[in-house]
Amino acid sequence: SPTSKPSDKPSPKPTTPEPSAKPTTKPSPAPTSSPTVETGMFCRPEKDIEVSHGGFEWNETYAGAECLLKTTENANNIALVDANTSNVSLSVTFMQSSNTTYQVSAIMLRSSNDGGYDQSSWCMGQERLICEVQVRDFSKVKLEFLECASDDETEFYEGELVSFNQNEWYTQKMSAIGGELKCELYDSSENLVQSIIANSSDYSQSLKDLDHVGFGAYGKDYFFRSYD
């Protein structure tokens, strides 16, 4: 009688069910999925964008961001976006890479398709109001308003030079509401870098017949992440 009782109880319970199923599924997927910091909106060509001058490449990768739009010619690279209202605003997020040797990008509002204007500037034969981001020495920046209303582009307002960094994302915003033009530049932390405003007495064009807005840069290796 002393041998039969202790042998039944210790063997079946401690071995299989609890330790194996739960701890294996959680640690693996999370750390591997995000090598790129930003994803742009230019993974493939869009029907809403018309390349009017110069050249662009879609689905580019640079500085930890993918699906970018890159300028490809040492000329005025201009993309037009449809707009159907007289109160127009455009916001563009861009980067001046350290690969470029040029220092100018721009947002433009086109008011008509009249010919005769300078074909080598932002005007490209059309009446336009332009907000230009003018970088100096790759380390300073200012905003400038230009218009194409004769046979050349004319500057009619500019800001002061402030600090600027290559290989950093900036967002430029331009709006035309009533007769007021506003242009703003924000850094990657959404801090306002500079803002300029002009009224209808500062320029000669009408804003009533805007049918496109556009953006672009002079020279290769500017990158655009998004527009709105």
Side-chain angles (χ1 to χ4, degrees):
S1 58
T3 57
S4 58
K5 290 182 180 178
S7 60
D8 295 327
K9 293 181 181 178
S11 57
K13 290 185 178 177
T15 51
T16 46
E18 293 189 32
S20 60
K22 292 182 179 177
T24 55
T25 52
K26 291 183 180 177
S28 55
T32 58
S33 58
S34 54
T36 54
V37 179
E38 304 283 355
T39 299
M41 63 182 293
F42 299 107
C43 297
R44 60 191 62 84
E46 295 184 42
K47 62 180 181 181
D48 296 333
I49 296 179
E50 172 195 346
V51 177
S52 67
H53 293 86
F56 294 89
E57 290 286 344
W58 271 258
N59 199 27
E60 293 290 317
T61 299
Y62 183 78
E66 60 186 5
C67 288
L68 306 179
L69 187 67
K70 182 179 78 169
T71 58
T72 61
E73 295 187 19
N74 285 329
N76 292 88
N77 301 280
I78 300 173
L80 298 180
V81 182
D82 285 337
N84 56 11
T85 175
S86 59
N87 289 347
V88 171
S89 63
L90 181 64
S91 174
V92 176
T93 300
F94 74 95
M95 176 186 288
Q96 185 194 84
S97 79
S98 54
N99 296 329
T100 189
T101 54
Y102 296 94
Q103 304 185 73
V104 181
S105 60
I107 288 178
M108 58 209 74
L109 307 181
R110 187 181 78 175
S111 62
S112 81
N113 201 9
D114 293 345
Y117 302 126
D118 188 354
Q119 295 287 333
S120 62
S121 67
W122 295 119
C123 303
M124 293 298 175
Q126 298 174 356
E127 290 184 347
R128 281 186 172 143
L129 289 160
I130 300 156
C131 180
E132 188 175 75
V133 179
Q134 176 71 249
V135 179
R136 299 286 176 85
D137 300 324
F138 304 105
S139 62
K140 300 287 184 182
V141 67
K142 64 178 177 177
L143 298 176
E144 299 179 347
F145 277 133
L146 310 171
E147 71 172 327
C148 306
S150 60
D151 60 354
D152 200 357
E153 61 182 24
T154 304
E155 178 191 307
F156 61 90
Y157 195 90
E158 67 177 346
E160 300 292 327
L161 285 169
V162 294
S163 63
F164 175 84
N165 296 313
Q166 288 191 315
N167 296 326
E168 181 178 327
W169 290 111
Y170 287 87
T171 298
Q172 182 188 4
K173 299 180 181 182
M174 184 179 184
S175 63
I177 300 176
E180 181 184 89
L181 283 178
K182 179 186 284 188
C183 189
E184 298 170 307
L185 186 66
Y186 293 84
D187 66 16
S188 57
S189 301
E190 300 183 358
N191 298 311
L192 180 65
V193 176
Q194 190 166 94
S195 176
I196 58 175
I197 296 174
N199 295 303
S200 56
S201 58
D202 299 317
Y203 56 90
S204 62
Q205 290 179 251
S206 168
L207 294 175
K208 291 180 180 177
D209 300 320
L210 298 171
D211 58 0
H212 279 85
V213 295
F215 63 89
Y218 190 97
K220 299 177 182 180
D221 296 316
Y222 265 80
F223 289 90
F224 296 91
R225 197 176 75 204
S226 61
Y227 74 90
D228 184 20

